[in-house]
Amino acid sequence: MRTTLYRFLSFIFVMCLSLAVASTASAQKKKKQAQLDAEDAAGAKAVSKEMTDKMSDQEKIDFAISEMLGAWQIGDVEKLHKNIADDIVVVNGSWAPPVVGWNSYLAGYNLQRSRVQQIRLDRINTLIRVNGTTASVCYQWEFSGVVDGQQSGSRGQTTLLLEKRADKWMIIHNHTSVVDNAIPLTAGAVAPNPQPAAAVKP
């Protein structure tokens, strides 16, 4: 009886010890993976900075706009703010005063973004003019997505003003207007449902 009890207690002890070792190994593995992920992110950031440092001002601006529009599409607010100044001024899409400041812009963006899924936004015919520490940009865009549960599409154009702050180009003004909601359909495409212009646009 004692031998059986001894074996049982030994078995329990070995199991507990194994679980403790496995748990410690798992925690160390997770910690090491997190450290590797952080190093990879830091390395990617360093490579990205090295690449952007070699770009001309026009290339830096074009990259910043691409990054901003990409963030706008996927809903990455942190990356969106990276290229938009805290004192941004956005021309309102309706008969209302301009949207002033990042917080006001963000409130409008969140409201608009909550209504839209399956976004696709293409930028074409970009013209960038740099004058010292300021720049102006004009481009056309085509939008398609599901708005309020219905397929929608529109075309428009945007004018941006940027200012170079601490060696980084920041968007300080955005005037976006919808030109035409009737995007020609390709075979099999769903007819777009025109939507009124939102207060904050790409």
Side-chain angles (χ1 to χ4, degrees):
M1 179 89 174
R2 280 186 181 175
T3 306
T4 307
L5 181 61
Y6 176 74
R7 285 182 185 163
F8 177 72
L9 290 174
S10 296
F11 175 75
I12 295 293
F13 175 75
V14 170
M15 288 301 291
C16 289
L17 186 61
S18 298
L19 288 173
V21 169
S23 177
T24 303
S26 176
Q28 287 175 343
K29 186 176 179 181
K30 284 181 184 176
K31 185 177 179 183
K32 186 166 186 167
Q33 186 60 49
Q35 185 179 4
L36 289 173
D37 290 345
E39 287 172 5
D40 287 347
K45 192 173 182 181
V47 169
S48 177
K49 180 166 177 14
E50 185 179 332
M51 286 174 57
T52 54
D53 285 347
K54 293 178 182 176
M55 291 179 180
S56 68
D57 281 331
Q58 285 204 341
E59 290 170 327
K60 287 179 183 178
I61 290 167
D62 190 67
F63 181 78
I65 295 167
S66 293
E67 196 171 45
M68 179 270 292
L69 291 175
W72 186 90
Q73 290 178 80
I74 64 172
D76 188 333
V77 173
E78 187 177 329
K79 193 170 275 190
L80 187 65
H81 193 195
K82 178 181 171 188
N83 297 295
I84 295 177
D86 286 334
D87 56 348
I88 181 84
V89 174
V90 181
V91 175
N92 206 313
S94 56
W95 185 249
V99 177
V100 179
W102 166 254
N103 291 333
S104 298
Y105 175 87
L106 181 60
Y109 168 76
N110 284 335
L111 183 64
Q112 181 185 52
R113 189 67 179 74
S114 68
R115 298 172 51 207
V116 185
Q117 293 85 37
Q118 301 174 20
I119 297 172
R120 179 177 174 132
L121 183 69
D122 296 313
R123 171 171 60 110
I124 55 172
N125 298 327
T126 303
L127 173 65
I128 300 171
R129 291 224 168 130
V130 179
N131 185 10
T133 58
T134 60
S136 61
V137 179
C138 296
Y139 60 85
Q140 293 170 284
W141 52 265
E142 291 185 342
F143 165 86
S144 63
V146 175
V147 181
D148 296 331
Q150 299 206 12
Q151 190 68 35
S152 179
S154 58
R155 290 175 168 160
Q157 48 197 14
T158 294
T159 301
L160 301 175
L161 297 180
L162 293 92
E163 188 173 63
K164 198 172 192 179
R165 299 178 177 178
D167 205 36
K168 178 161 177 50
W169 288 98
M170 300 296 292
I171 299 167
I172 60 171
H173 183 84
N174 179 330
H175 184 175
T176 296
S177 55
V178 176
V179 173
D180 179 359
N181 273 349
I183 294 179
L185 297 177
T186 56
V190 178
N193 177 25
Q195 299 292 322
V200 180
K201 298 176 289 291

